[in-house]
Amino acid sequence: MTGVLARGPVRPPGPTPRPPAAIDGTHLPAACLATIDAIEHGRRRDRRRGLLVAGALLLVIVAGGMLSLALGAVALPLDEVVAGLLGLDGAGGAQFIVQGVRLPRLALALVVGAALGLAGALLQSVVRNPLASPDIVGVTGGASAAAVLALGTGLVGTAVTGAALVGALVATALVLLASGRGVSGARFVVIGIAVAFLANGIVGYALTRATLTQAESAYFWLVGSVGSPSWEKVAIVGGALAVCGLVLVAARRPLAAQALDDGSARALGARPVITRVGAMVVSSILAAAAVSVAGPIAFVAFAAGPIARGLRGRGPALGTAALVGAAVIVVADLVAQHLVPGAFQPPVGLITGAAGSVVLLVLLVRGGRGGSAGRTARGAATAARPAVPAVPAVPAVPGEDPRP
């Protein structure tokens, strides 16, 4: 009784609190609704542009591929090319020419170009510098040096592929260790160029120690070519491309956070440095797989990323860069086979090197307008970030004083 008096009269239970009403568009201010509409409109516009760009690149690849299968010492009409591809009855000769001779070269050009394009765009996006492609920062050079050393010792086939992979990973490790904790910026690129010079020195030393036959084969390999195709080479690069593509799809959220600066990415719970290192390892594997079977084809990894970002208009555009790389190699190999006068068919690396030098000059001229290398790097990093749709102005509410 004393306890009851101390607690006072017992109050009847009140009504059960209702859950808050669901937030829908009718409860949001007009300014928020306008912002959401602008963001959704920007996303729909990006999706449409991405589909159009991918469709156009696929069209270029299909057209170049059909011409590659049709043209040659024995020209084939398109209906016989299709019959040879499908293995239809009565297409015995065409089937042998298409499937046995020309299709492996086309398939190798496609997977090598896609691997180099994806490797370059991935490295440029995580480092936020358009110069940070595998053939500039020493990754391709490390793979080339190890492969030439392997060729000089008489190794062939899978042993050369393994040596190229080890060389690329060693070069990547050197650049990572010397770049400091941030692993980004102009310091990363400068150290990578130093590693590339070191790899070139190793290649020169290996060539001076090789026999004349070994040096001749190594020189031809260093130019970069898809003229010695095999389905085994296609499987090596295609397998690396498939595995690395799945890894990148699984890591799409951490990679998307790389578009922000490191402080903002950490505030969102991301680990930018770890993501950057992992992306560099994936890029090195892709570049090493391509270089090991086709040699260091110049400028594809360097130019595919900027071309893809220019076509898409925003973001790293990794898938678009892979399509750009495949299209570049297919078209360049078509030019090397059929449009260069004379009996000599130059390796595809000569064509991509000549075309890529023009892209490099354009990038340098556009960067020079900023006035300094630092502004060039910052501009490239800004170009790699996703565009944020403009937020509309907050409309004034009638009868409300806008002053605080």
Side-chain angles (χ1 to χ4, degrees):
M1 184 65 179
T2 304
V4 173
L5 293 176
R7 291 194 297 268
V10 179
R11 297 180 179 178
T16 304
R18 292 179 300 177
I23 298 176
D24 53 18
T26 59
H27 294 80
L28 294 177
C32 295
L33 292 176
T35 303
I36 293 173
D37 289 340
I39 293 175
E40 292 297 329
H41 177 71
R43 288 177 176 174
R44 289 194 296 270
R45 183 183 57 194
D46 291 339
R47 282 195 290 268
R48 288 196 298 269
R49 184 167 181 171
L51 291 175
L52 288 175
V53 170
L57 290 173
L58 288 175
L59 185 61
V60 171
I61 291 173
V62 171
M66 293 300 290
L67 288 176
S68 298
L69 297 177
L71 300 178
V74 178
L76 297 174
L78 291 181
D79 56 343
E80 293 189 14
V81 171
V82 176
L85 275 175
L86 300 178
L88 300 180
D89 294 336
Q95 182 177 356
F96 172 76
I97 294 174
V98 171
Q99 294 188 7
V101 179
R102 297 175 184 173
L103 187 58
R105 180 166 184 158
L106 175 62
L108 185 62
L110 286 174
V111 294
V112 167
L116 289 177
L118 182 57
L122 177 62
L123 191 58
Q124 290 166 349
S125 63
V126 297
V127 181
R128 302 163 188 151
N129 195 316
L131 296 179
S133 70
D135 45 0
I136 300 294
V137 300
V139 177
T140 303
S144 301
V148 170
L149 287 175
L151 289 172
T153 56
L155 299 178
V156 294
T158 309
V160 178
T161 303
L165 178 59
V166 172
L169 293 179
V170 169
T172 303
L174 287 177
V175 176
L176 288 175
L177 292 175
S179 298
R181 301 179 61 181
V183 196
S184 64
R187 177 185 173 89
F188 175 85
V189 177
V190 172
I191 292 174
I193 292 174
V195 173
F197 278 113
L198 175 62
N200 288 334
I202 295 175
V203 170
Y205 171 78
L207 291 177
T208 58
R209 305 296 296 178
T211 64
L212 185 59
T213 304
Q214 292 171 343
E216 183 180 6
S217 61
Y219 265 121
F220 185 82
W221 183 86
L222 285 173
V223 176
S225 174
V226 293
S228 301
S230 68
W231 288 114
E232 181 184 2
K233 294 179 179 179
V234 175
I236 291 174
V237 186
L241 188 62
V243 173
C244 293
L246 292 176
V247 171
L248 294 179
V249 170
R252 60 186 182 279
R253 293 184 183 277
L255 288 175
Q258 293 295 311
L260 306 172
D261 59 87
D262 286 1
S264 301
R266 290 191 183 94
L268 295 175
R271 297 179 178 179
V273 176
I274 295 177
T275 302
R276 203 173 298 141
V277 172
M280 292 178 63
V281 172
V282 173
S283 175
S284 301
I285 293 174
L286 287 171
V291 170
S292 63
V293 301
I297 299 177
F299 280 113
V300 177
F302 173 79
I307 293 174
R309 289 191 291 272
L311 293 175
R312 290 293 306 273
R314 63 182 292 273
L318 299 182
T320 306
L323 292 177
V324 169
V328 167
I329 294 289
V330 169
V331 174
D333 190 47
L334 189 64
V335 171
Q337 289 186 79
H338 306 293
L339 295 184
V340 176
F344 173 69
Q345 292 184 358
V348 68
L350 292 181
I351 306 299
T352 58
S357 61
V358 177
V359 177
L360 177 59
L361 289 176
V362 170
L363 289 178
L364 290 176
V365 169
R366 291 178 59 184
R369 292 173 182 172
S372 66
R375 294 181 62 180
T376 301
R378 289 194 294 272
T382 303
R385 295 172 185 167
V388 178
V391 178
V394 178
V397 179
E400 181 179 349
D401 189 357
R403 293 175 297 180

